[in-house]
Amino acid sequence: MGKTLAEKIFSLKLNRDVKAGEFVIAPIDICACQDGTGPLSVRQIEALGRGVANPKRSIFFIDHAAPSPRKELSNDHKLLREFCRKTGCILSEVGDGVIHQRLVEDYAKPGDILIGADSHSCTSGALAAFATGMGSTDVAIGMALGENWFRVPETFRINVTGRFPKGVFSKDLIIHLIGMITADGATYRALEFGGEAIENMSMSERFVLANMAVEAGAKTGLCPADGITQEYLKRMGRENDYQPLAPDPDAEYERVIEIDASNLEPVVSCPHTVDNVRKAKELTDIRIDQVYIGTCTNGRLEDLRVAARILKGKRRHPDVRLIVCPASRRVYLDALREGILEILVEAGASIMGPGCGPCVGVHEGVLADGERCLSTQNRNFKGRMGNPEGEIYLASPATAAYSATVGHIADPREVL
Amino acid sequence: MILRGRVIKLGDNIDTDQIYPGRYLPITEPVEMAGHAFEGIISDFLQRAKGSIIVAGKNFGCGSSREQAATALKWAGIVAVVAESFARIFFRNAINQGLPAIIGHHLDRINEGDELRIDLHLGKIEDLTTGESYPGDPLPDFLLAIIEAGGLIEKLKRSLGGG
């Protein structure tokens, strides 16, 4: 019997045949933390008293509250800086970008095993790395010992055929899928994306799929490493990091889900769970107070580009605040050079420095009681944006940008 | 290992943003973390938490990987969390913090305030108030050993000889 992508990565790493369901201790290529989870990892590393096994592959990202809005957070940042200085671990500073975006730009590669103390660490799975989120203690152990235990997951194969209609994006596909299998439908499984629609999809769009795998409970979301992956790594100046990696044609899947992309429509996750899915065109009576375009899900150049296409020459609705946050310094610079940021600012957007922005509810756009935000982020839980009395809706950058101009949720196909 | 406690009953998809709000992530003292468990969500949680067992539905602890969610519950005095299913990151975090997380079945028949008795080795959940008992999935020995040591770091310090 052939191997799934997850089985293949563990088998290559351990140099023996590994099957789903096995418990293994595996070496880890990359360990990552952010400023919300890093300080606890540092404490645990110090409690273990064994130092850091591989500091050049142990990275601390200051992104969740960057720059710091409060002295307690500033002290956390200081602690991370001092720890990196002392141990030689890598520090990603204020303004460098969101952990997951920086990992795919500069660190993760096909065949890697990556653990991150952040649930959306599955994003790097789009590069055919086995990338998964864990808690601070698990990542501390990965950093200190260079290994950790895993249960090799069973896999749901998601076969996507057909062509995406105009105005429909991979964000709509993943929200549609989570609505179908529910928020815990893939708990402990890997999602493996494939089929002609994935083969034709840019890395930027693939990252969205892998990023939101955890919203169905999955351990990781994987895409094959192919010509598009190779082209992306080349653009990131990491051509040598490429190796082709694909599941075997006779791999054994727990479940196979077929989706025809040509049947998809713009969709929205409604409060307070990601699997509460409705069509955008059915929600035009939902008035919104804030639109947020950014995050590790949809804060890349392609996302800002589509938003700019819709917002060019238009203004935000007077009742809507428009917040835009590029996911990394690279994205910020590219958007600046392309004139995208100028279009967005003219449309009334407030541009934040690269980072998580208001998604985590710490700063840069905390909702007031009873307010609604339409966001391109991945999670709409109660209180997520800093106020349990606020409501969060999730959609693609196109849906978000168009809705910002009309003041309510709207279907972007009307203007695309 | 036998655990006893009064039930705090919760529903499906209890996420870590509800268990522990993101704005309190900088707190590093477990006792202080405990003061913010379920803040803005369950008003009297802290008064009831000590010595209680959370009984929840599907997908408990979904969302953010923040370990503080498990730490806050433990230090608020929660004895164990029993759920129909757990999100995988929370499950690992709970065990790593020495907080028993047990998968049980047919939990909808357990009521708020019931007295529970749990045998961790057998995975048996008894409702002493109603006299009913429920099957649970026993934890494998290596996870029980982590709970008994009081958490993964303590366990590793012992097995690695303190470093």
Side-chain angles (χ1 to χ4, degrees):
Chain A
M1 211 61 191
K3 292 188 181 69
T4 64
L5 208 38
E7 290 167 334
K8 205 163 238 189
I9 295 168
F10 277 105
S11 297
L12 284 170
K13 199 51 84 181
L14 296 171
N15 214 11
R16 65 179 175 87
D17 280 339
V18 172
K19 291 297 287 176
E22 264 186 68
F23 284 88
V24 300
I25 292 176
I28 295 163
D29 298 286
I30 299 169
C31 292
C33 283
Q34 32 92 342
D35 45 342
T37 58
L40 284 183
S41 292
V42 165
R43 279 187 143 203
Q44 300 292 50
I45 292 167
E46 287 175 344
L48 266 176
R50 298 170 70 89
V52 175
N54 191 357
K56 290 295 159 225
R57 295 274 120 184
S58 300
I59 315 155
F60 289 83
F61 295 88
I62 298 181
D63 60 357
H64 274 53
S68 166
R70 296 207 314 267
K71 65 178 184 195
E72 294 83 3
L73 290 156
S74 309
N75 288 333
D76 275 354
H77 293 174
K78 186 177 167 192
L79 180 145
L80 296 181
R81 288 186 190 105
E82 282 169 358
F83 182 77
C84 288
R85 211 172 291 139
K86 198 169 69 188
T87 57
C89 290
I90 296 177
L91 183 82
S92 179
E93 257 298 351
V94 171
D96 287 345
V98 186
I99 168 170
H100 311 301
Q101 180 59 18
R102 293 236 42 227
L103 283 170
V104 299
E105 286 176 357
D106 293 333
Y107 298 97
K109 63 179 189 298
D112 274 356
I113 295 180
L114 180 157
I115 61 173
D118 188 287
S119 60
H120 295 108
S121 299
C122 46
T123 312
S124 293
L127 291 169
F130 190 90
T132 190
M134 289 188 183
S136 298
T137 300
D138 267 320
V139 173
I141 283 159
M143 286 185 177
L145 307 181
E147 58 184 29
N148 206 328
W149 68 269
F150 299 83
R151 183 180 176 279
V152 180
E154 288 79 11
T155 294
F156 287 3
R157 168 78 179 185
I158 317 296
N159 262 333
V160 192
T161 53
R163 289 173 69 93
F164 279 83
K166 197 182 246 188
V168 181
F169 301 85
S170 68
K171 183 63 165 284
D172 299 297
L173 166 63
I174 189 70
I175 289 178
H176 170 81
L177 175 70
I178 295 165
M180 204 163 113
I181 65 175
T182 76
D184 68 336
T187 299
Y188 261 93
R189 311 304 194 278
L191 298 184
E192 184 187 288
F193 297 93
E196 58 165 315
I198 305 297
E199 285 159 24
N200 294 325
M201 191 180 269
S202 70
M203 278 318 304
S204 181
E205 292 267 287
R206 290 181 186 181
F207 291 136
V208 180
L209 303 178
N211 175 272
M212 287 190 67
V214 67
E215 304 310 330
K219 189 165 184 169
T220 189
L222 295 162
C223 296
D226 57 14
I228 286 173
T229 320
Q230 185 174 22
E231 182 50 42
Y232 176 81
L233 289 171
K234 192 173 163 190
R235 218 166 54 243
M236 296 299 123
R238 299 198 288 134
E239 207 175 349
N240 294 335
D241 279 353
Y242 176 71
Q243 63 163 315
L245 211 51
D248 292 325
D250 58 343
E252 204 175 337
Y253 296 106
E254 182 177 323
R255 190 173 166 191
V256 177
I257 296 169
E258 302 282 347
I259 296 176
D260 182 348
S262 55
N263 290 334
L264 295 174
E265 291 190 53
V267 283
V268 176
S269 291
C270 299
H272 295 286
T273 55
V274 182
D275 59 4
N276 184 13
V277 179
R278 298 273 305 274
K279 288 177 181 166
K281 67 183 181 195
E282 294 167 356
L283 295 169
T284 51
D285 55 339
I286 304 290
R287 303 205 66 82
I288 47 179
D289 304 285
Q290 180 167 301
V291 164
Y292 175 38
I293 299 172
T295 77
C296 55
T297 318
N298 278 121
R300 281 175 277 277
L301 186 65
E302 279 184 30
D303 302 316
L304 303 187
R305 203 181 269 150
V306 73
R309 219 168 89 206
I310 291 170
L311 288 162
K312 187 166 188 168
K314 298 205 181 72
R315 286 285 299 173
R316 63 175 176 84
H317 186 277
D319 297 338
V320 178
R321 304 166 316 250
L322 176 58
I323 298 167
V324 175
C325 187
S328 72
R329 186 182 301 281
R330 182 191 291 265
V331 172
Y332 195 111
L333 269 172
D334 287 347
L336 198 63
R337 287 171 182 145
E338 240 185 79
I340 291 171
L341 295 186
E342 188 177 340
I343 294 170
L344 296 176
V345 171
E346 278 179 347
S350 180
I351 313 286
M352 304 289 122
C356 300
C359 175
V360 214
V362 181
H363 65 165
E364 296 180 348
V366 174
L367 298 180
D369 293 350
E371 280 193 337
R372 293 197 189 108
C373 179
L374 178 61
S375 172
T376 65
Q377 69 199 52
N378 40 36
R379 198 165 271 165
N380 61 347
F381 301 155
K382 199 170 184 161
R384 173 76 182 178
M385 295 182 89
N387 186 348
E389 304 304 320
E391 288 188 343
I392 309 164
Y393 292 76
L394 310 177
S396 74
T399 302
Y402 179 48
S403 302
T405 65
V406 292
H408 57 78
I409 294 176
D411 188 326
R413 289 175 300 182
E414 291 169 15
V415 285
L416 277 171
Chain B
M1 213 176 167
I2 306 291
L3 306 171
R4 284 178 80 132
R6 292 225 170 263
V7 171
I8 294 178
K9 192 79 191 284
L10 302 172
D12 292 338
N13 298 318
I14 301 296
D15 60 73
T16 53
D17 277 282
Q18 295 182 54
I19 302 171
Y20 194 78
R23 61 187 175 279
Y24 298 121
L25 289 179
I27 295 170
T28 51
E29 283 312 314
V31 178
E32 202 186 331
M33 280 180 205
H36 301 290
F38 282 111
E39 186 173 304
I41 304 289
I42 305 174
S43 55
D44 59 348
F45 181 78
L46 293 177
Q47 288 81 14
R48 292 192 288 145
K50 198 165 172 48
S52 289
I53 294 174
I54 289 177
V55 175
K58 293 186 304 176
N59 206 23
F60 187 87
C62 60
S64 161
S65 69
R66 64 189 68 153
E67 193 166 287
Q68 290 91 332
T71 311
L73 293 183
K74 183 184 173 184
W75 288 80
I78 293 295
V79 175
V81 184
V82 184
E84 298 275 349
S85 67
F86 287 94
R88 52 164 286 279
I89 302 178
F90 180 88
F91 182 79
R92 279 185 86 122
N93 286 344
I95 302 292
N96 287 349
Q97 294 299 309
L99 173 69
I102 304 118
I103 294 172
H105 307 283
H106 315 298
L107 303 175
D108 50 321
R109 299 210 298 266
I110 297 177
N111 304 308
E112 174 84 31
D114 285 0
E115 176 87 14
L116 288 196
R117 180 182 185 278
I118 302 170
D119 184 322
L120 276 188
H121 290 270
L122 298 177
K124 190 177 166 196
I125 302 154
E126 286 174 90
D127 188 329
L128 302 174
T129 308
T130 62
E132 288 198 64
S133 77
Y134 302 89
D137 298 351
L139 291 170
D141 286 344
F142 83 105
L143 294 187
L144 282 173
I146 295 173
I147 290 172
E148 278 162 5
L152 181 58
I153 293 290
E154 290 309 311
K155 172 79 174 49
L156 276 176
K157 271 159 93 175
R158 284 181 209 174
S159 57
L160 297 171

